[in-house]
Amino acid sequence: MEFFRFERDIPFMSWGKYTTIISVITFVLAIFFISTRGLNLGVDFTGGTVLEVSYSQPADLGAIRSVLSTLEITDVSVQNFGSSRDVLIRLPAKHELSSAKLSEFVIDALKKADHTIEIRRIEFVGPQVGQELLENGALALLFVSLGIVAYLAVRFEWKFGVAGIIANFHDVIIILGFFAFFQWEFSLTVLAAVLAILGYSVNESVVIFDRIRENFRKLRKAPVTQVIDNAITRTMSRTIITHGSTQMVVIAMLLFGGEALYYFALALTIGILFGIYSSTLVASPILMLLGVKREDLVKPEKKQQEEALP
């Protein structure tokens, strides 16, 4: 069922020069912010202390943050964990205090504010463990990217693999650029969102690439620009419905999911928006630059059969 119909092909490829310039500028800016500001790595990567506490009644997260701010502890994460009475507190490592001393310091301050507090769990994440998680996360991104290239190259042709991975890499760098510029906390949940966006974006690219391959067989005498414009236009209804529905759910998580899901949903929101953009206005112009042709996708015997048709 197609809810949105487009009577004429949208001339996406005629905008290719402008979108390429925009993409290059945003990509370079993202690289600049990542290299100069760096990512604000969370406790998962830098090491620190994780406290799980429980209250006799629903916890006031704002009051807990106020208590911690009086202790001059910055970059702390306070969120509900499981129920409204359970709270998870993540404390960054302090060079002047050991993890044990820091946890005792915080627990004493919280007990003074509310004597009903109950300590459920205390965990210490060392910097070596955090570094290992960071390296494993980078390896995960690398292997996923290589897998995407191999999949697209086998299913279509190597030019499609190159175009797809550049578009997906564009999305990842843009997300990281936003987190570096605004110094939002980059945690394991954000890394999971980035990996999810890689899969989500490549799915959109595969749909468009399938249409392009199909159009090369149907529109035998049409120029490459018309083939690609028609392919993207024919997928627009699906794109609007699929991405619109997904974006509504993610925005609901962003607005109502609380602090635990905020940066995860924020990364997904940015990734979905740029995933739509890159699949249509980054990957396809790159195909044009690489000189994709009908001969790349249609086998010689199939081509002869098609040309024999009236």
Side-chain angles (χ1 to χ4, degrees), residues 20 61 70 87 107 115 129 200-201 238 254 267:
T20 301
L61 301 184
T70 59
V87 179
I107 290 171
H115 65 278
V129 176
Y200 191 85
S201 181
R238 173 201 172 273
L254 181 67

mmCIF file of all heavy atoms in Angstrom, residues 20 61 70 87 107 115 129 200-201 238 254 267:
data_model
loop_
_atom_site.group_PDB
_atom_site.id
_atom_site.type_symbol
_atom_site.label_atom_id
_atom_site.label_comp_id
_atom_site.label_asym_id
_atom_site.label_seq_id
_atom_site.Cartn_x
_atom_site.Cartn_y
_atom_site.Cartn_z
ATOM 1 N N THR A 20 26.613 17.336 -1.848
ATOM 2 C CA THR A 20 27.981 16.871 -1.622
ATOM 3 C C THR A 20 28.798 17.926 -0.883
ATOM 4 O O THR A 20 29.558 17.606 0.044
ATOM 5 C CB THR A 20 28.659 16.529 -2.956
ATOM 6 O OG1 THR A 20 27.911 15.509 -3.623
ATOM 7 C CG2 THR A 20 30.081 16.048 -2.722
ATOM 8 N N LEU A 61 15.343 12.716 42.221
ATOM 9 C CA LEU A 61 16.633 12.741 41.539
ATOM 10 C C LEU A 61 17.259 14.123 41.567
ATOM 11 O O LEU A 61 18.483 14.260 41.675
ATOM 12 C CB LEU A 61 16.467 12.269 40.089
ATOM 13 C CG LEU A 61 15.911 10.855 39.887
ATOM 14 C CD1 LEU A 61 15.892 10.504 38.404
ATOM 15 C CD2 LEU A 61 16.723 9.825 40.666
ATOM 16 N N THR A 70 26.876 19.899 45.852
ATOM 17 C CA THR A 70 27.484 20.550 47.017
ATOM 18 C C THR A 70 28.826 19.918 47.371
ATOM 19 O O THR A 70 29.659 20.544 48.018
ATOM 20 C CB THR A 70 26.542 20.469 48.226
ATOM 21 O OG1 THR A 70 26.261 19.095 48.519
ATOM 22 C CG2 THR A 70 25.240 21.204 47.953
ATOM 23 N N VAL A 87 17.872 3.925 42.660
ATOM 24 C CA VAL A 87 18.645 4.944 41.953
ATOM 25 C C VAL A 87 20.036 4.405 41.654
ATOM 26 O O VAL A 87 20.675 3.786 42.516
ATOM 27 C CB VAL A 87 18.756 6.248 42.775
ATOM 28 C CG1 VAL A 87 19.593 7.288 42.037
ATOM 29 C CG2 VAL A 87 17.375 6.798 43.081
ATOM 30 N N ILE A 107 28.172 8.409 50.113
ATOM 31 C CA ILE A 107 27.161 7.699 50.908
ATOM 32 C C ILE A 107 26.855 8.463 52.191
ATOM 33 O O ILE A 107 25.688 8.597 52.590
ATOM 34 C CB ILE A 107 27.642 6.266 51.214
ATOM 35 C CG1 ILE A 107 27.639 5.430 49.926
ATOM 36 C CG2 ILE A 107 26.754 5.615 52.262
ATOM 37 C CD1 ILE A 107 28.291 4.075 50.081
ATOM 38 N N HIS A 115 18.013 9.536 55.852
ATOM 39 C CA HIS A 115 18.559 8.428 56.617
ATOM 40 C C HIS A 115 17.949 7.080 56.240
ATOM 41 O O HIS A 115 18.428 6.025 56.678
ATOM 42 C CB HIS A 115 18.339 8.670 58.120
ATOM 43 C CG HIS A 115 16.902 8.670 58.514
ATOM 44 N ND1 HIS A 115 16.097 9.789 58.360
ATOM 45 C CD2 HIS A 115 16.111 7.686 59.050
ATOM 46 C CE1 HIS A 115 14.873 9.500 58.794
ATOM 47 N NE2 HIS A 115 14.857 8.240 59.204
ATOM 48 N N VAL A 129 39.847 -1.347 32.498
ATOM 49 C CA VAL A 129 38.615 -1.944 31.986
ATOM 50 C C VAL A 129 37.925 -0.984 31.025
ATOM 51 O O VAL A 129 37.427 -1.375 29.964
ATOM 52 C CB VAL A 129 37.675 -2.318 33.149
ATOM 53 C CG1 VAL A 129 36.343 -2.849 32.617
ATOM 54 C CG2 VAL A 129 38.329 -3.345 34.059
ATOM 55 N N TYR A 200 20.634 0.321 10.576
ATOM 56 C CA TYR A 200 19.419 0.989 10.110
ATOM 57 C C TYR A 200 19.676 1.728 8.801
ATOM 58 O O TYR A 200 18.874 1.671 7.863
ATOM 59 C CB TYR A 200 18.950 1.967 11.183
ATOM 60 C CG TYR A 200 17.576 2.549 10.959
ATOM 61 C CD1 TYR A 200 16.450 1.874 11.381
ATOM 62 C CD2 TYR A 200 17.415 3.770 10.324
ATOM 63 C CE1 TYR A 200 15.181 2.399 11.177
ATOM 64 C CE2 TYR A 200 16.166 4.305 10.111
ATOM 65 C CZ TYR A 200 15.043 3.611 10.560
ATOM 66 O OH TYR A 200 13.800 4.140 10.335
ATOM 67 N N SER A 201 20.800 2.400 8.715
ATOM 68 C CA SER A 201 21.120 3.179 7.526
ATOM 69 C C SER A 201 21.409 2.284 6.336
ATOM 70 O O SER A 201 20.995 2.570 5.208
ATOM 71 C CB SER A 201 22.312 4.096 7.802
ATOM 72 O OG SER A 201 22.630 4.882 6.675
ATOM 73 N N ARG A 238 7.737 4.598 1.170
ATOM 74 C CA ARG A 238 8.215 3.692 2.212
ATOM 75 C C ARG A 238 9.100 4.430 3.214
ATOM 76 O O ARG A 238 8.999 4.218 4.421
ATOM 77 C CB ARG A 238 9.005 2.561 1.567
ATOM 78 C CG ARG A 238 9.690 1.662 2.585
ATOM 79 C CD ARG A 238 10.845 0.906 1.966
ATOM 80 N NE ARG A 238 11.586 0.212 3.017
ATOM 81 C CZ ARG A 238 12.567 0.755 3.721
ATOM 82 N NH1 ARG A 238 12.907 2.028 3.502
ATOM 83 N NH2 ARG A 238 13.181 0.064 4.657
ATOM 84 N N LEU A 254 12.989 9.975 23.804
ATOM 85 C CA LEU A 254 13.800 11.155 24.115
ATOM 86 C C LEU A 254 13.101 12.065 25.117
ATOM 87 O O LEU A 254 13.734 12.604 26.045
ATOM 88 C CB LEU A 254 14.101 11.916 22.826
ATOM 89 C CG LEU A 254 14.960 13.175 22.926
ATOM 90 C CD1 LEU A 254 16.373 12.828 23.345
ATOM 91 C CD2 LEU A 254 14.978 13.913 21.594
ATOM 92 N N ALA A 267 21.074 10.073 20.236
ATOM 93 C CA ALA A 267 21.940 9.549 19.179
ATOM 94 C C ALA A 267 21.116 8.904 18.068
ATOM 95 O O ALA A 267 21.421 9.072 16.875
ATOM 96 C CB ALA A 267 22.933 8.543 19.759
#
